[in-house]
Amino acid sequence: MGVGSEGGATTAVKRRGCSCTKDDFFPEESFKSWANYGRALRETGKRLRDRVTARSLEQSELHEVRLRSGHDMKKNLTWWDLIWFGIGAVIGSGIFVLTGQEAREDVGPAVVLSYVVSGISAMLSVFCYTEFAVEIPVAGGSFAYLRVELGDFMAFIAAGNILLEYVIGGAAVARSWTSYFSTLLNHEANDFRIHATALADGYNRLDPIAVVVICIICLVAALSTKGTSRFNYLASIVHVAVIFFIIIAGLTKAKVSNYDQFFHFGARGIFKASAVLFFAYVGFDAVSTMAEETKNPAKDIPIGLVGSMTITTLAYCILAVTLCLMQPYGQIDVDAPFSVAFKAVGMNWATYIVAFGALKGMTTVLLVSAVGQARYLTHIARTHMVPPWLAHVNSRTGTPINATVVMLVATAIIAFFTDLGILANLLSISTLFIFMLVAVALIVRRYYVSGETSEANRSKLVVFLLLILGSSIATASYWAASEKGWVGYLVTVPVWFLSTAGLWWFVPQARAPRLWGVPLVPWLPSASIAINIFLLGSIDGRSYMRFGIWTGLLLIYYFFFGLHASYDTAKAAEVAAPVKRLEEGSPANNGQ
């Protein structure tokens, strides 16, 4: 019998402090000696089979796994905090930088439609995240959700991309911070960057200001979550005031003639820009990681997540319209579009207000991102897929200081070297991939429960899911390969529709949400899968190469370290918990 989920050790380990011994990083049996490690490597095949099929219990994620941090996080957040965290996490460099880049180079004034497409995709993902966050309110976010529904191995692949998403997102925002700071001081962005001619293009503009900003953010995020919330709340109020100023002042200088070439780049330009602008919506998943610190998850999380995303989408669309009415799309600046637009229409004084507001927005994005990414890493470390030293929660601050520092050091290194354009595309791939997996996991959660779902219904579920995924991939591939063709869509789109309808009609739902549920299942999660995969088809090939390299590095780490550490942890817990395998499904009532 293989090793199952961690449902065991229920005793919290109360550490006196944070040490840095070998046992803090690799305490598992496989790493006690070289002989043990050699034995573990020889068993890689057996252990991998076990981890591919092993799934975690909800109760384990909610209790036993959480206790491995030594101390609990403080429950002091409400829906009001979450809404402002959501606004602070999302409205940043995406709208203030990428809007100009995409409007000028890929889509023109129709950039507002790109934001609508990206917003629909993001809102569908928000619904999926919300149900999970209410039912499984832990710091692990999508990693914990996938571990419960799709198993350990898929959760690890997602975890690596979640961490990549946060590091790249933070680095992109930090570099954008430098761009608007330069505008505030009447300089070009590269005036404050060091040109390293020996490095490759795209990596040769070194950004020391971005590193300093990240270090300050790290200090604030490590001290207190509630304090971070208060700062974010005040900063976001200023930020929202600046957004209202941009819209009102900008529309006084609007020229309808700037919209004459609205569809200049066509539908392909709209979707290509949507894939990049999805970056502007990244951050709401950080709010889901705060579920462990909310007072009433069933009430606070739905209001916080859905409310903040609705406000954000409306703000993005209105800001995009305002920018393109102020300037012809071919004249929009790609580094600081709103500041330069006000300068172009003769409102030089407004440039400083806009730059200040953009800096405020990017600062809150970095702050909320720092809070969210540390909680992701903390929960991943609780499973020992990465060293458990990273799971330590400080007893005085109630925050995961180790995880916060490590993630922000990685962010600072990437921000120091890498250009924003490279970061944005790679970030979109990781994010869309994760959101697609969460939608798949939600369908599995609703339609498959151990002891209730028959073999026939399980087989139908698998077939319909494969058809939904296959038709979505085929649609995205056809879009990427065919500039003007349309015949392929007559096959792929009906297959997706009929597959979703078949799942809805022929497979009974095995589980009803206990507290809050996504409406119109399976249609909404199936649409989320289709849109996320379709947007993936609009991203350039070089970004996929970088994504492939990162995934390869993840697998190397997993096969040599993460697999054996998580296997040993599960084996140690086996005595106290029954084996739970992928083919068994998850229980209907929190694993009870």
Side-chain angles (χ1 to χ4, degrees):
M1 185 168 71
V3 177
S5 320
E6 299 85 332
T10 58
T11 303
V13 179
K14 300 290 184 182
R15 297 183 180 127
R16 289 175 296 174
C18 178
S19 60
C20 291
T21 66
K22 173 186 171 295
D23 282 344
D24 288 303
F25 288 87
F26 296 105
E28 301 83 13
E29 188 64 31
S30 293
F31 303 101
K32 293 294 184 183
S33 68
W34 285 105
N36 286 7
Y37 185 56
R39 189 181 309 112
L41 290 179
R42 290 192 295 272
E43 295 177 356
T44 295
K46 183 189 77 172
R47 295 182 173 207
L48 178 61
R49 287 191 296 273
D50 182 272
R51 292 293 87 197
V52 166
T53 57
R55 297 173 71 192
S56 180
L57 294 164
E58 283 185 33
Q59 287 289 46
S60 175
E61 296 294 317
L62 289 167
H63 301 292
E64 288 83 3
V65 174
R66 186 168 64 185
L67 289 174
R68 293 174 189 162
S69 286
H71 303 279
D72 285 338
M73 296 183 189
K74 296 177 180 178
K75 290 183 176 293
N76 50 20
L77 301 179
T78 67
W79 63 267
W80 183 252
D81 295 306
L82 296 185
I83 282 182
W84 286 104
F85 262 127
I87 293 171
V90 177
I91 302 180
S93 63
I95 184 66
F96 285 114
V97 178
L98 291 179
T99 305
Q101 173 185 304
E102 293 307 304
R104 179 166 177 165
E105 298 175 0
D106 291 322
V107 68
V111 66
V112 62
L113 297 183
S114 297
Y115 271 118
V116 170
V117 173
S118 297
I120 291 171
S121 178
M123 185 60 81
L124 292 173
S125 296
V126 163
F127 279 123
C128 297
Y129 266 81
T130 300
E131 179 170 330
F132 273 117
V134 169
E135 301 275 301
I136 313 174
V138 293
S142 53
F143 169 74
Y145 315 152
L146 295 175
R147 196 162 175 257
V148 169
E149 299 301 336
L150 300 184
D152 257 27
F153 180 70
M154 285 305 301
F156 175 80
I157 297 299
N161 283 287
I162 291 164
L163 298 179
L164 178 68
E165 168 197 328
Y166 273 108
V167 169
I168 289 176
V173 174
R175 287 187 73 90
S176 299
W177 201 99
T178 302
S179 296
Y180 269 92
F181 180 70
S182 305
T183 302
L184 199 62
L185 300 181
N186 287 319
H187 280 270
E188 296 293 323
N190 286 332
D191 291 349
F192 292 95
R193 293 180 179 133
I194 302 167
H195 188 198
T197 54
L199 298 176
D201 192 36
Y203 304 91
N204 58 357
R205 294 285 182 179
L206 309 184
D207 197 332
I209 291 178
V211 175
V212 172
V213 170
I214 290 170
C215 290
I216 295 171
I217 291 295
C218 178
L219 180 64
V220 175
L223 291 177
S224 166
T225 304
K226 189 63 179 179
T228 300
S229 174
R230 293 192 185 103
F231 175 82
N232 172 73
Y233 171 54
L234 295 174
S236 294
I237 289 176
V238 175
H239 190 39
V240 169
V242 172
I243 288 173
F244 274 111
F245 168 80
I246 292 172
I247 293 169
I248 295 169
L251 290 178
T252 64
K253 299 293 183 178
K255 291 184 179 179
V256 179
S257 60
N258 290 337
Y259 259 45
D260 287 347
Q261 293 182 304
F262 188 77
F263 285 109
H264 180 69
F265 292 89
R268 188 164 293 274
I270 291 171
F271 285 108
K272 181 179 180 183
S274 293
V276 177
L277 292 175
F278 197 85
F279 168 79
Y281 291 97
V282 170
F284 75 80
D285 51 330
V287 179
S288 73
T289 69
M290 299 173 198
E292 191 172 313
E293 296 161 89
T294 57
K295 295 179 179 178
N296 184 0
K299 171 189 172 184
D300 297 333
I301 293 170
I303 297 174
L305 275 172
V306 177
S308 61
M309 183 53 61
T310 302
I311 294 168
T312 298
T313 303
L314 289 173
Y316 280 178
C317 291
I318 297 172
L319 284 168
V321 169
T322 302
L323 178 65
C324 291
L325 284 173
M326 289 177 69
Q327 266 191 305
Y329 73 85
Q331 297 175 20
I332 293 174
D333 185 74
V334 296
D335 287 319
F338 288 94
S339 291
V340 174
F342 276 102
K343 188 179 293 185
V345 297
M347 298 176 67
N348 289 351
W349 58 274
T351 298
Y352 302 104
I353 297 176
V354 174
F356 177 74
L359 288 177
K360 278 283 187 182
M362 293 175 198
T363 302
T364 56
V365 167
L366 282 170
L367 188 58
V368 179
S369 174
V371 172
Q373 67 190 14
R375 279 140 188 81
Y376 263 123
L377 185 57
T378 297
H379 198 79
I380 295 166
R382 288 168 175 172
T383 71
H384 289 221
M385 288 188 188
V386 296
W389 178 80
L390 295 166
H392 177 72
V393 173
N394 185 273
S395 59
R396 184 175 63 85
T397 65
T399 60
I401 291 179
N402 296 354
T404 302
V405 172
V406 168
M407 287 297 291
L408 288 174
V409 166
T411 302
I413 293 170
I414 299 295
F416 188 57
F417 290 99
T418 314
D419 182 72
L420 178 63
I422 294 171
L423 294 172
N425 273 333
L426 186 53
L427 174 67
S428 291
I429 291 179
S430 294
T431 306
L432 290 165
F433 175 69
I434 294 161
F435 290 175
M436 180 271 293
L437 285 179
V438 171
V440 171
L442 182 68
I443 291 176
V444 172
R445 179 176 183 80
R446 287 289 196 95
Y447 283 91
Y448 184 53
V449 173
S450 177
E452 296 184 21
T453 305
S454 67
E455 289 290 328
N457 285 332
R458 184 176 69 174
S459 299
K460 285 186 281 188
L461 170 62
V462 171
V463 170
F464 286 131
L465 259 181
L466 290 175
L467 286 172
I468 289 169
L469 289 167
S471 59
S472 300
I473 293 170
T475 301
S477 301
Y478 189 73
W479 170 263
S482 175
E483 289 284 338
K484 297 181 180 179
W486 54 271
V487 176
Y489 303 126
L490 296 179
V491 177
T492 59
V493 175
V495 169
W496 170 83
F497 179 84
L498 292 173
S499 302
T500 308
L503 180 58
W504 172 69
W505 185 260
F506 294 109
V507 185
Q509 289 195 31
R511 180 205 309 265
R514 295 184 299 275
L515 301 170
W516 189 95
V518 175
L520 300 176
V521 174
W523 295 100
L524 286 189
S526 180
S528 180
I529 292 169
I531 294 175
N532 287 331
I533 291 176
F534 185 78
L535 291 178
L536 283 169
S538 300
I539 296 176
D540 66 280
R542 285 189 176 183
S543 295
Y544 275 102
M545 289 176 60
R546 298 183 188 109
F547 179 73
I549 292 170
W550 171 248
T551 302
L553 292 173
L554 281 180
L555 291 174
I556 290 172
Y557 169 83
Y558 185 71
F559 291 141
F560 284 94
F561 299 101
L563 168 63
H564 307 295
S566 59
Y567 178 90
D568 286 350
T569 303
K571 187 174 183 180
E574 187 181 16
V575 175
V579 173
K580 177 108 164 63
R581 293 197 163 277
L582 190 60
E583 62 270 16
E584 293 174 343
S586 54
N589 295 306
N590 266 350
Q592 294 178 348

